[in-house]
Amino acid sequence: MILKFGTLKELAQHKGEMPEEVFCHLHSSLRILDEDYGANRNIDLDDGGFALLFDTEDDFTQICHLGTIDFSYHVPEWVDRIKTKDRDYAAALYLTSNDFGIILVAPVEILSLLPDVQESLKDS
């Protein structure tokens, strides 16, 4: 299942569907988007961006087929490891324009399918 969040309000509706550490990481990122671009923006059309949280390789394949991020062209601006008691997650920010970013959050083993993410996580 792929969950999409662009604002803190959207994130809050799904708080129980993810580890607390993942929620906190997303909360920090989406707070910045809400403050800089507005909490009432259209997350698909207006500046700012959104986050996608997913758990499986099938989800990742679906995201790749959307064509929103060209992984042969875009490289992550940053990659974070999010440690939880059950498994590690990774978060990676892709800027698709000057004012639009997509944050991918998934278990490390899934997001590490992207070579740039895998390389960034080696030392973390």
Side-chain angles (χ1 to χ4, degrees):
M1 172 172 56
I2 302 170
L3 297 175
K4 183 176 182 179
F5 317 103
T7 65
L8 290 175
K9 183 178 179 180
E10 293 169 342
L11 177 64
Q13 295 170 352
H14 297 277
K15 184 175 182 177
E17 298 176 49
M18 66 194 79
E20 182 66 24
E21 297 87 351
V22 171
F23 177 84
C24 290
H25 191 284
L26 285 167
H27 189 278
S28 295
S29 298
L30 295 177
R31 181 182 48 77
I32 293 167
L33 292 178
D34 278 2
E35 289 173 358
D36 291 347
Y37 298 101
N40 295 315
R41 70 191 184 284
N42 179 322
I43 66 168
D44 293 309
L45 300 176
D46 296 338
D47 287 344
F50 55 81
L52 298 173
L53 173 64
F54 56 98
D55 282 325
T56 68
E57 283 188 45
D58 287 340
D59 295 339
F60 177 68
T61 300
Q62 286 180 23
I63 290 168
C64 290
H65 289 301
L66 292 175
T68 310
I69 303 171
D70 178 354
F71 292 108
S72 65
Y73 175 76
H74 294 104
V75 295
E77 292 294 309
W78 52 254
V79 176
D80 289 334
R81 182 180 295 265
I82 306 167
K83 294 185 179 285
T84 73
K85 69 177 187 170
D86 294 325
R87 70 197 302 188
D88 285 0
Y89 283 75
L93 170 64
Y94 289 86
L95 295 180
T96 58
S97 74
N98 288 342
D99 284 307
F100 198 88
I102 300 172
I103 303 166
L104 300 181
V105 181
V108 166
E109 63 272 14
I110 304 298
L111 214 51
S112 288
L113 294 171
L114 294 165
D116 292 320
V117 172
Q118 185 181 55
E119 186 65 30
S120 294
L121 289 171
K122 277 185 180 178
D123 297 326
S124 62

